[in-house]
Amino acid sequence: MANRDQPIVPPPGKPFRLAEFDPENTSGTSKEAALALIPSLRLGINELQDLLYADRRYALLIVLQGIDTAGKDGTIKSVFQEVGPLGSSVANFGVPSAEEAAHDFLWRYHARAPEKGKVVIFNRSYYESVLVERVDSLVSKDVWKARYDTINEFERYLVAQQTVIAKFFLHISKGEQRERLQERVDNPKKRWKFREGDLQERAHWDAYQEAFEDMVGRCNTAAAPWHVVPADHKWYRDVVIAKAIIALLESLDLHYPKPVAGVEGTVVE
Ligand code: ADP
């Protein structure tokens, strides 16, 4: 039975069961309250991003994963609405090109990791190497099984290099996915997003849930914890993610650099 008081970050190092996480959970938050709060959270993220850039000690990597229609694009549009292109960018990862596929599986992701002072949002990520590649049997079981440890090592390395990693798994129910896919079919403005492959992937729902459980269970480390976000309600999803990013940035104790000596009191004619 889903527990509504589950922490958003499950205890690291333990097997993870999705059934314990209710995708409809809103922790008693009303839609009105969430919608009233979101604008100030967006401004808060923008201010902290400005500070991250001025401070220049840390990079922030945000990883978004979730089944088709879970709301990765919607999250980026909403949560980062106030953050301009100066300080942040989005890296979308689709089917690897021939060049990408010929390299080690982390190559294309490492190349897009953020520099200090910047925020990069991974819209899908190296976790696809243990999701679609596992579910669709694009690589053998031996290959994808070995990748969890490699991913943990990669994240530990990035964290040691002052990259802060915030990973969000957008958890939606099967019923909610049905409604969102149907909306894509029915709404002429969304129809372009619908691909027949979406239905084939939906047919693998259970295999994806298992792959998500292993992804969170095996790669939920102290260095780079997973946040499991109840995402059936978009407004609650945005509040959870925005608050987590703000808490993380606040925990870094960021500072504006000291002004050059003698600047204070200068009068500009
Ligand atoms: P999205 O569905 O995220 O809006 P796209 O329509 O470009 O974006 O789809 C990206 C596609 O790329 C997805 O079907 C996803 O499964 C696939 N993909 C991502 N990473 C890999 C990978 N490593 N191997 C194979 N397919 C991948």
Side-chain angles (χ1 to χ4, degrees):
M1 199 43 201
N3 176 358
R4 292 194 163 231
D5 296 324
Q6 278 286 356
I8 296 297
V9 176
K14 297 222 172 101
F16 169 69
R17 292 287 155 257
L18 262 180
E20 293 169 18
F21 284 77
D22 180 359
E24 279 192 277
N25 186 15
T26 58
S27 294
T29 311
S30 71
K31 183 174 180 179
E32 292 69 31
L35 293 179
L37 182 61
I38 288 169
S40 64
L41 295 176
R42 288 179 185 137
L43 290 172
I45 291 177
N46 184 39
E47 239 171 72
L48 284 160
Q49 190 285 318
D50 200 48
L51 198 48
L52 182 86
Y53 185 68
D55 183 282
R56 285 309 156 92
R57 281 180 300 154
Y58 298 100
L60 175 60
L61 172 60
I62 293 175
V63 171
L64 297 180
Q65 285 294 162
I67 205 151
D68 285 337
T69 75
K72 299 182 289 297
D73 292 354
T75 297
I76 297 169
K77 275 189 206 158
S78 170
V79 173
F80 296 93
Q81 209 173 91
E82 296 288 342
V83 181
L86 261 186
S88 74
S89 59
V90 180
N92 296 295
F93 294 103
V95 178
S97 67
E99 188 189 22
E100 288 167 344
H103 282 82
D104 69 89
F105 83 98
L106 291 174
W107 180 74
R108 67 170 178 162
Y109 306 101
H110 197 183
R112 306 290 299 275
E115 61 194 80
K116 292 187 179 78
K118 297 279 177 88
V119 180
V120 172
I121 304 153
F122 276 9
N123 188 4
R124 300 183 188 269
S125 69
Y126 39 90
Y127 283 99
E128 291 298 332
S129 315
V130 289
L131 294 170
V132 66
E133 293 194 42
R134 164 181 169 165
V135 171
D136 289 356
S137 301
L138 302 178
V139 292
S140 70
K141 190 170 180 181
D142 286 351
V143 169
W144 61 254
K145 274 199 138 177
R147 286 176 169 173
Y148 298 102
D149 287 345
T150 312
I151 287 173
N152 287 337
E153 283 162 24
F154 174 61
E155 290 182 339
R156 237 189 322 270
Y157 167 74
L158 289 181
V159 169
Q161 301 295 313
Q162 263 41 64
T163 298
V164 176
I165 305 177
K167 303 186 292 193
F168 297 98
F169 166 55
L170 311 187
H171 177 35
I172 59 165
S173 61
K174 197 172 181 186
E176 182 65 21
Q177 192 198 41
R178 191 194 60 72
E179 281 181 27
R180 292 184 189 183
L181 284 173
Q182 192 64 56
E183 166 71 5
R184 282 189 184 176
V185 173
D186 297 345
N187 183 339
K189 287 190 180 159
K190 292 192 178 174
R191 207 168 288 150
W192 64 273
K193 277 192 178 183
F194 185 82
R195 289 167 295 140
E196 263 184 54
D198 292 346
L199 296 182
Q200 280 157 24
E201 290 303 288
R202 178 169 165 79
H204 294 140
W205 178 271
D206 291 344
Y208 268 107
Q209 301 305 299
E210 230 179 278
F212 286 132
E213 288 188 332
D214 284 346
M215 170 188 86
V216 175
R218 303 218 31 199
C219 299
N220 186 27
T221 59
W226 268 110
H227 299 71
V228 180
V229 182
D232 271 7
H233 298 290
K234 295 171 184 174
W235 42 270
Y236 186 64
R237 170 199 78 196
D238 291 350
V239 166
V240 168
I241 294 176
K243 279 187 173 176
I245 292 171
I246 288 174
L248 192 61
L249 287 170
E250 283 178 345
S251 76
L252 298 178
D253 194 24
L254 301 166
H255 296 287
Y256 287 108
K258 285 200 172 66
V260 179
V263 167
E264 212 168 337
T266 301
V267 177
V268 180
E269 299 290 337

